[in-house]
Amino acid sequence: MLRPHVPVNPLPTGHTIPLLKPAPMADIEPTTEHTPAPTSGPAPVVQARTSIQLTPGSALALAVGGGAVVLVVGTVLVSMLLAVAITGASIAVVAVVLRLLVRDMQKGR
């Protein structure tokens, strides 16, 4: 179900577009144009690194960048909370004023 499917005819022209088949390996002839120069010994073995090595400068930059991200996200969240609080307070004031107006209208003043 989740495998990709390559259509044979993606164009609505009615002409069938055949899939390209790779050439057999027997038909490919090796060339000597780009062969590397012979080396004097075996190729050096490079060990794969399993951990990230941080220099003091990169660790400091990472800490400063992380602190900046925390400050920006904190500022955005606090401003959103403040906006919700101000909106709630203003709605409460409007509700009290409307209640007083309705009460005055019912008394006939």
Side-chain angles (χ1 to χ4, degrees), residues 22-96:
M25 292 301 289
D27 295 345
I28 301 174
E29 296 179 10
T31 60
T32 57
E33 293 176 6
H34 300 291
T35 55
T39 58
S40 62
V45 177
V46 178
Q47 296 179 352
R49 293 185 180 181
T50 58
S51 64
I52 299 172
Q53 296 179 357
L54 293 175
T55 62
S58 63
L60 180 65
L62 185 63
V64 169
V69 167
V70 167
L71 287 176
V72 168
V73 170
T75 303
V76 169
L77 291 177
V78 167
S79 64
M80 289 173 63
L81 179 64
L82 185 61
V84 169
I86 291 172
T87 303
S90 64
I91 289 175
V93 169
V94 168
V96 168

